[in-house]
Amino acid sequence: MKMYHIQIGINISSEAKTDFIVNELIPFLEEHVKDNYYFTRSVNVIPVIDLYLNTSDIKITYIYSKIQSIFDKYLSNLSEASVQENKYYLDNQKNISRVNGYSACIPIENLTIKCEKIEAIKRDGEYNHPIDKEIYTDYFIKGQKVLEKAIKFLYNRDEDIQLKLLFGMFYSASMQLDKTGIGYGYLSFKSHLLGFLSYRHKDMGKYKKMFQDKFTEMAETLSSFGGFIENNFKGEVPEQIPEEIIEICREWESLYSNMYQELLTAENETNTNKAFSISLSMQHRRFRSLSSFHKAAFSNANKDFFKKKEFQAYRMLVNFVYLLLPAMGLNSRKRVEASYLLVNTKEA
């Protein structure tokens, strides 16, 4: 089998985009592709759906043709308002291209689909070792079914439900470092949260108040849910947490646990090089200026902790969890809010 990348240019209303994924794309993939694939949502100047498949030359022709047919039919039934392009992407193409590194790429045209054979999935960002990228691909595929279950469950649900699911996913991930005994996993989420809150933005005060109000409202429920997760999802199911969220988070926890062990193995088998150490030191100097928490956490006294294989494997796990969120239609603001709920629950 070979790997293929199908990209769908889909700059339409958010509601229509999610509806297409839930009611058209996922049912087709479940029936006709079944496994060895995963999809996510990203931006290639305009919003796109990226579908990656391990399949044969013959089957990809059928898959590509059917998705094109399904997409065309879906678009033909949309209202003019639903298919209207978001002007933000039209007006900011140059900036989006520069920020996302697309200056040398030909962006996909809106409402079109393209398919190409690829040797490997291009992954930007920081990875400890080349094998980490292979582990990511493997677990995106392994986690596709639970991801689809989460997407379908969240369809047309309110923000409270979204936050409860995100909280459970983050809490389950944080426990992977806790189990090693070297530190508390939630502190990584705290670092990212405080990094966000340190930005100088006119609406930051509104965000802080909104996050605090939501925590006050949900504190008792989240505390019970956190304890339930720490007890290996055993005991009385917390009130106000739907059974579907329990099931989804339980499945994610199982995947996180297996993935973390593979990331640890990669750390054991690969020596940390000098360039990595220099990069880590530069990052820590930058982080120390963000807040008093960062100043203490990233002090020279703690530098050996961040080099530990357990932490480096955990860092890669947290990044993987964040990369699941775009496919679920969850934006960075919800990620930060869920981090706030996690941190305050742990420190209450």
PDB file of all heavy atoms in Angstrom, residues 265-284:
ATOM      1  N   THR A 265      10.273   4.819  24.610  1.00  0.00           N
ATOM      2  CA  THR A 265      11.222   3.904  23.964  1.00  0.00           C
ATOM      3  C   THR A 265      12.099   4.663  22.980  1.00  0.00           C
ATOM      4  O   THR A 265      13.314   4.430  22.899  1.00  0.00           O
ATOM      5  CB  THR A 265      10.473   2.780  23.227  1.00  0.00           C
ATOM      6  OG1 THR A 265       9.701   2.043  24.175  1.00  0.00           O
ATOM      7  CG2 THR A 265      11.437   1.842  22.517  1.00  0.00           C
ATOM      8  N   ALA A 266      11.505   5.585  22.234  1.00  0.00           N
ATOM      9  CA  ALA A 266      12.281   6.399  21.293  1.00  0.00           C
ATOM     10  C   ALA A 266      13.320   7.231  22.033  1.00  0.00           C
ATOM     11  O   ALA A 266      14.458   7.387  21.568  1.00  0.00           O
ATOM     12  CB  ALA A 266      11.344   7.311  20.498  1.00  0.00           C
ATOM     13  N   GLU A 267      12.936   7.765  23.210  1.00  0.00           N
ATOM     14  CA  GLU A 267      13.888   8.543  24.006  1.00  0.00           C
ATOM     15  C   GLU A 267      15.019   7.663  24.524  1.00  0.00           C
ATOM     16  O   GLU A 267      16.175   8.081  24.585  1.00  0.00           O
ATOM     17  CB  GLU A 267      13.167   9.205  25.190  1.00  0.00           C
ATOM     18  CG  GLU A 267      12.192  10.301  24.820  1.00  0.00           C
ATOM     19  CD  GLU A 267      12.871  11.530  24.262  1.00  0.00           C
ATOM     20  OE1 GLU A 267      14.043  11.780  24.618  1.00  0.00           O
ATOM     21  OE2 GLU A 267      12.242  12.232  23.455  1.00  0.00           O
ATOM     22  N   ASN A 268      14.708   6.415  24.887  1.00  0.00           N
ATOM     23  CA  ASN A 268      15.720   5.496  25.404  1.00  0.00           C
ATOM     24  C   ASN A 268      16.738   5.109  24.337  1.00  0.00           C
ATOM     25  O   ASN A 268      17.923   4.926  24.612  1.00  0.00           O
ATOM     26  CB  ASN A 268      15.061   4.214  25.937  1.00  0.00           C
ATOM     27  CG  ASN A 268      14.410   4.421  27.289  1.00  0.00           C
ATOM     28  OD1 ASN A 268      14.852   5.256  28.065  1.00  0.00           O
ATOM     29  ND2 ASN A 268      13.356   3.679  27.562  1.00  0.00           N
ATOM     30  N   GLU A 269      16.247   4.979  23.097  1.00  0.00           N
ATOM     31  CA  GLU A 269      17.099   4.453  22.024  1.00  0.00           C
ATOM     32  C   GLU A 269      17.881   5.534  21.285  1.00  0.00           C
ATOM     33  O   GLU A 269      18.742   5.226  20.484  1.00  0.00           O
ATOM     34  CB  GLU A 269      16.237   3.686  21.018  1.00  0.00           C
ATOM     35  CG  GLU A 269      15.612   2.432  21.612  1.00  0.00           C
ATOM     36  CD  GLU A 269      14.713   1.710  20.635  1.00  0.00           C
ATOM     37  OE1 GLU A 269      14.468   2.271  19.545  1.00  0.00           O
ATOM     38  OE2 GLU A 269      14.269   0.596  20.962  1.00  0.00           O
ATOM     39  N   THR A 270      17.583   6.799  21.553  1.00  0.00           N
ATOM     40  CA  THR A 270      18.220   7.877  20.813  1.00  0.00           C
ATOM     41  C   THR A 270      18.943   8.807  21.768  1.00  0.00           C
ATOM     42  O   THR A 270      18.364   9.271  22.744  1.00  0.00           O
ATOM     43  CB  THR A 270      17.171   8.683  20.024  1.00  0.00           C
ATOM     44  OG1 THR A 270      16.344   7.774  19.306  1.00  0.00           O
ATOM     45  CG2 THR A 270      17.846   9.649  19.056  1.00  0.00           C
ATOM     46  N   ASN A 271      20.197   9.085  21.496  1.00  0.00           N
ATOM     47  CA  ASN A 271      20.965   9.985  22.338  1.00  0.00           C
ATOM     48  C   ASN A 271      20.580  11.436  22.072  1.00  0.00           C
ATOM     49  O   ASN A 271      20.380  11.842  20.926  1.00  0.00           O
ATOM     50  CB  ASN A 271      22.475   9.819  22.064  1.00  0.00           C
ATOM     51  CG  ASN A 271      22.980   8.465  22.519  1.00  0.00           C
ATOM     52  OD1 ASN A 271      22.532   7.933  23.523  1.00  0.00           O
ATOM     53  ND2 ASN A 271      23.916   7.896  21.770  1.00  0.00           N
ATOM     54  N   THR A 272      20.457  12.216  23.116  1.00  0.00           N
ATOM     55  CA  THR A 272      20.180  13.642  22.966  1.00  0.00           C
ATOM     56  C   THR A 272      21.436  14.336  22.465  1.00  0.00           C
ATOM     57  O   THR A 272      22.507  14.191  23.045  1.00  0.00           O
ATOM     58  CB  THR A 272      19.765  14.243  24.323  1.00  0.00           C
ATOM     59  OG1 THR A 272      18.610  13.569  24.792  1.00  0.00           O
ATOM     60  CG2 THR A 272      19.466  15.723  24.163  1.00  0.00           C
ATOM     61  N   ASN A 273      21.315  15.102  21.369  1.00  0.00           N
ATOM     62  CA  ASN A 273      22.507  15.726  20.804  1.00  0.00           C
ATOM     63  C   ASN A 273      22.722  17.126  21.364  1.00  0.00           C
ATOM     64  O   ASN A 273      21.874  17.689  22.052  1.00  0.00           O
ATOM     65  CB  ASN A 273      22.422  15.762  19.265  1.00  0.00           C
ATOM     66  CG  ASN A 273      21.179  16.488  18.775  1.00  0.00           C
ATOM     67  OD1 ASN A 273      20.784  17.499  19.349  1.00  0.00           O
ATOM     68  ND2 ASN A 273      20.578  15.973  17.721  1.00  0.00           N
ATOM     69  N   LYS A 274      23.863  17.705  21.006  1.00  0.00           N
ATOM     70  CA  LYS A 274      24.247  19.010  21.540  1.00  0.00           C
ATOM     71  C   LYS A 274      23.306  20.102  21.042  1.00  0.00           C
ATOM     72  O   LYS A 274      22.948  21.020  21.790  1.00  0.00           O
ATOM     73  CB  LYS A 274      25.685  19.328  21.136  1.00  0.00           C
ATOM     74  CG  LYS A 274      26.231  20.593  21.775  1.00  0.00           C
ATOM     75  CD  LYS A 274      27.698  20.784  21.429  1.00  0.00           C
ATOM     76  CE  LYS A 274      28.244  22.048  22.112  1.00  0.00           C
ATOM     77  NZ  LYS A 274      29.681  22.248  21.785  1.00  0.00           N
ATOM     78  N   ALA A 275      22.882  19.998  19.771  1.00  0.00           N
ATOM     79  CA  ALA A 275      21.982  21.008  19.198  1.00  0.00           C
ATOM     80  C   ALA A 275      20.668  21.059  19.976  1.00  0.00           C
ATOM     81  O   ALA A 275      20.103  22.130  20.203  1.00  0.00           O
ATOM     82  CB  ALA A 275      21.710  20.705  17.727  1.00  0.00           C
ATOM     83  N   PHE A 276      20.192  19.886  20.394  1.00  0.00           N
ATOM     84  CA  PHE A 276      18.954  19.827  21.165  1.00  0.00           C
ATOM     85  C   PHE A 276      19.121  20.560  22.494  1.00  0.00           C
ATOM     86  O   PHE A 276      18.257  21.322  22.917  1.00  0.00           O
ATOM     87  CB  PHE A 276      18.559  18.373  21.403  1.00  0.00           C
ATOM     88  CG  PHE A 276      17.425  18.198  22.376  1.00  0.00           C
ATOM     89  CD1 PHE A 276      16.119  18.422  21.997  1.00  0.00           C
ATOM     90  CD2 PHE A 276      17.672  17.817  23.696  1.00  0.00           C
ATOM     91  CE1 PHE A 276      15.073  18.269  22.891  1.00  0.00           C
ATOM     92  CE2 PHE A 276      16.647  17.661  24.593  1.00  0.00           C
ATOM     93  CZ  PHE A 276      15.341  17.887  24.187  1.00  0.00           C
ATOM     94  N   SER A 277      20.251  20.344  23.161  1.00  0.00           N
ATOM     95  CA  SER A 277      20.503  20.994  24.452  1.00  0.00           C
ATOM     96  C   SER A 277      20.566  22.506  24.313  1.00  0.00           C
ATOM     97  O   SER A 277      20.048  23.248  25.152  1.00  0.00           O
ATOM     98  CB  SER A 277      21.813  20.463  25.051  1.00  0.00           C
ATOM     99  OG  SER A 277      21.716  19.081  25.325  1.00  0.00           O
ATOM    100  N   ILE A 278      21.196  22.978  23.245  1.00  0.00           N
ATOM    101  CA  ILE A 278      21.293  24.420  23.016  1.00  0.00           C
ATOM    102  C   ILE A 278      19.912  25.003  22.761  1.00  0.00           C
ATOM    103  O   ILE A 278      19.543  26.051  23.309  1.00  0.00           O
ATOM    104  CB  ILE A 278      22.233  24.713  21.829  1.00  0.00           C
ATOM    105  CG1 ILE A 278      23.669  24.304  22.192  1.00  0.00           C
ATOM    106  CG2 ILE A 278      22.169  26.181  21.435  1.00  0.00           C
ATOM    107  CD1 ILE A 278      24.645  24.395  21.035  1.00  0.00           C
ATOM    108  N   SER A 279      19.121  24.318  21.922  1.00  0.00           N
ATOM    109  CA  SER A 279      17.763  24.774  21.621  1.00  0.00           C
ATOM    110  C   SER A 279      16.919  24.837  22.883  1.00  0.00           C
ATOM    111  O   SER A 279      16.154  25.787  23.099  1.00  0.00           O
ATOM    112  CB  SER A 279      17.114  23.839  20.596  1.00  0.00           C
ATOM    113  OG  SER A 279      15.767  24.175  20.390  1.00  0.00           O
ATOM    114  N   LEU A 280      17.051  23.827  23.747  1.00  0.00           N
ATOM    115  CA  LEU A 280      16.293  23.782  24.989  1.00  0.00           C
ATOM    116  C   LEU A 280      16.660  24.954  25.893  1.00  0.00           C
ATOM    117  O   LEU A 280      15.786  25.605  26.483  1.00  0.00           O
ATOM    118  CB  LEU A 280      16.561  22.454  25.699  1.00  0.00           C
ATOM    119  CG  LEU A 280      15.618  22.056  26.831  1.00  0.00           C
ATOM    120  CD1 LEU A 280      14.205  21.855  26.299  1.00  0.00           C
ATOM    121  CD2 LEU A 280      16.112  20.773  27.497  1.00  0.00           C
ATOM    122  N   SER A 281      17.938  25.272  25.986  1.00  0.00           N
ATOM    123  CA  SER A 281      18.383  26.390  26.825  1.00  0.00           C
ATOM    124  C   SER A 281      17.845  27.722  26.321  1.00  0.00           C
ATOM    125  O   SER A 281      17.429  28.579  27.103  1.00  0.00           O
ATOM    126  CB  SER A 281      19.918  26.427  26.860  1.00  0.00           C
ATOM    127  OG  SER A 281      20.439  25.273  27.478  1.00  0.00           O
ATOM    128  N   MET A 282      17.825  27.888  24.997  1.00  0.00           N
ATOM    129  CA  MET A 282      17.313  29.130  24.410  1.00  0.00           C
ATOM    130  C   MET A 282      15.810  29.279  24.685  1.00  0.00           C
ATOM    131  O   MET A 282      15.330  30.370  25.002  1.00  0.00           O
ATOM    132  CB  MET A 282      17.586  29.148  22.902  1.00  0.00           C
ATOM    133  CG  MET A 282      19.061  29.257  22.551  1.00  0.00           C
ATOM    134  SD  MET A 282      19.355  29.152  20.765  1.00  0.00           S
ATOM    135  CE  MET A 282      18.494  30.611  20.179  1.00  0.00           C
ATOM    136  N   GLN A 283      15.063  28.169  24.563  1.00  0.00           N
ATOM    137  CA  GLN A 283      13.635  28.204  24.849  1.00  0.00           C
ATOM    138  C   GLN A 283      13.377  28.619  26.289  1.00  0.00           C
ATOM    139  O   GLN A 283      12.500  29.441  26.572  1.00  0.00           O
ATOM    140  CB  GLN A 283      13.014  26.831  24.599  1.00  0.00           C
ATOM    141  CG  GLN A 283      12.934  26.411  23.148  1.00  0.00           C
ATOM    142  CD  GLN A 283      12.396  24.999  23.045  1.00  0.00           C
ATOM    143  OE1 GLN A 283      11.514  24.595  23.787  1.00  0.00           O
ATOM    144  NE2 GLN A 283      12.946  24.226  22.123  1.00  0.00           N
ATOM    145  N   HIS A 284      14.155  28.044  27.206  1.00  0.00           N
ATOM    146  CA  HIS A 284      13.943  28.308  28.628  1.00  0.00           C
ATOM    147  C   HIS A 284      14.239  29.766  28.976  1.00  0.00           C
ATOM    148  O   HIS A 284      13.544  30.362  29.802  1.00  0.00           O
ATOM    149  CB  HIS A 284      14.782  27.364  29.470  1.00  0.00           C
ATOM    150  CG  HIS A 284      14.275  25.955  29.430  1.00  0.00           C
ATOM    151  ND1 HIS A 284      14.809  24.929  30.181  1.00  0.00           N
ATOM    152  CD2 HIS A 284      13.271  25.393  28.717  1.00  0.00           C
ATOM    153  CE1 HIS A 284      14.159  23.801  29.934  1.00  0.00           C
ATOM    154  NE2 HIS A 284      13.227  24.070  29.048  1.00  0.00           N
TER     155      HIS A 284
END
